[in-house]
Amino acid sequence: LDDRQTFTYYRQPVLESLQPSYGHTQGNQAVRIRGFGFGYSWSETTLCRFGNRTPSVARWVSSREIICDSPTIDPMVDPSRQATVRVAMNGLDFTTDAHSPVFTYREHPSAVSIHPSIVSADGGTAVTIEGKNIENALRCRFGSLGEPVPVLSATKNEAICKAPAILLTSP
């Protein structure tokens, strides 16, 4: 190398956690990867890899955090629904699996029925939602009004949430 070219060494980053650590099989979930050693600026060579899927370019937040989008998986091809997340700062040398966090894929929940379907505007009524993959739901949204509310309990095909109060306007 002559004086005009540079060669740089770096320490492999350490991945500590994922937020969230799970997402839908359809992918495209923004996942915050926290740890240290992510450098001091964005680089198109910083890549994320979920399992053996094609790597994608990371979005740099800080030397302690980057964001990557989860790829789509086919649960029939990958029944474990888990992917070790690895990072390559130079686009080639990915972190090792030994201490890498795991991202878990879940099916998207869908509601089939709601009981009761009429509740008081004062809120507080426990509402049972039945459907598929309900155990993956974390929140319930009642129409387009207000914020989602947390799931109180859930099984594979049922979740219970308390309906929030809403402000009704008189005609």
Side-chain angles (χ1 to χ4, degrees), residues 6-36:
T6 61
F7 184 82
T8 306
Y9 286 96
Y10 67 91
R11 292 188 189 278
Q12 280 284 42
V14 174
L15 312 185
E16 294 177 330
S17 66
L18 305 176
Q19 181 62 37
S21 61
Y22 56 87
H24 299 298
T25 56
Q26 293 90 353
N28 206 28
Q29 168 80 45
V31 178
R32 292 183 176 279
I33 302 172
R34 293 190 174 114
F36 55 91

Side-chain angles (χ1 to χ4, degrees), residues 82-106:
Q82 294 190 325
T84 300
V85 177
R86 296 170 302 199
V87 172
M89 299 304 293
N90 65 356
L92 299 170
D93 301 314
F94 285 89
T95 52
T96 62
D97 289 350
H99 299 288
S100 294
V102 174
F103 186 81
T104 302
Y105 286 92
R106 299 178 175 177

Side-chain angles (χ1 to χ4, degrees), residues 37-97:
F38 296 129
Y40 295 98
S41 65
W42 177 80
S43 169
E44 70 273 356
T45 62
T46 302
L47 301 179
C48 300
R49 176 179 277 157
F50 287 69
N52 60 1
R53 286 166 198 73
T54 302
S56 62
V57 176
R59 297 185 299 280
W60 185 85
V61 176
S62 72
S63 64
R64 302 227 357 119
E65 184 176 307
I66 58 176
I67 298 174
C68 298
D69 293 329
S70 64
T72 300
I73 69 155
D74 181 349
M76 300 302 282
V77 174
D78 190 356
S80 77
R81 298 180 187 206
Q82 294 190 325
T84 300
V85 177
R86 296 170 302 199
V87 172
M89 299 304 293
N90 65 356
L92 299 170
D93 301 314
F94 285 89
T95 52
T96 62
D97 289 350

Side-chain angles (χ1 to χ4, degrees), residues 100-150:
S100 294
V102 174
F103 186 81
T104 302
Y105 286 92
R106 299 178 175 177
E107 292 289 334
H108 199 10
S110 61
V112 175
S113 67
I114 301 171
H115 304 287
S117 60
I118 300 173
V119 298
S120 167
D122 295 336
T125 302
V127 177
T128 301
I129 298 110
E130 294 176 347
K132 292 171 33 178
N133 305 306
I134 297 294
E135 79 274 18
N136 299 328
L138 298 175
R139 298 186 174 277
C140 298
R141 180 180 294 276
F142 291 84
S144 59
L145 303 173
E147 293 296 313
V149 296

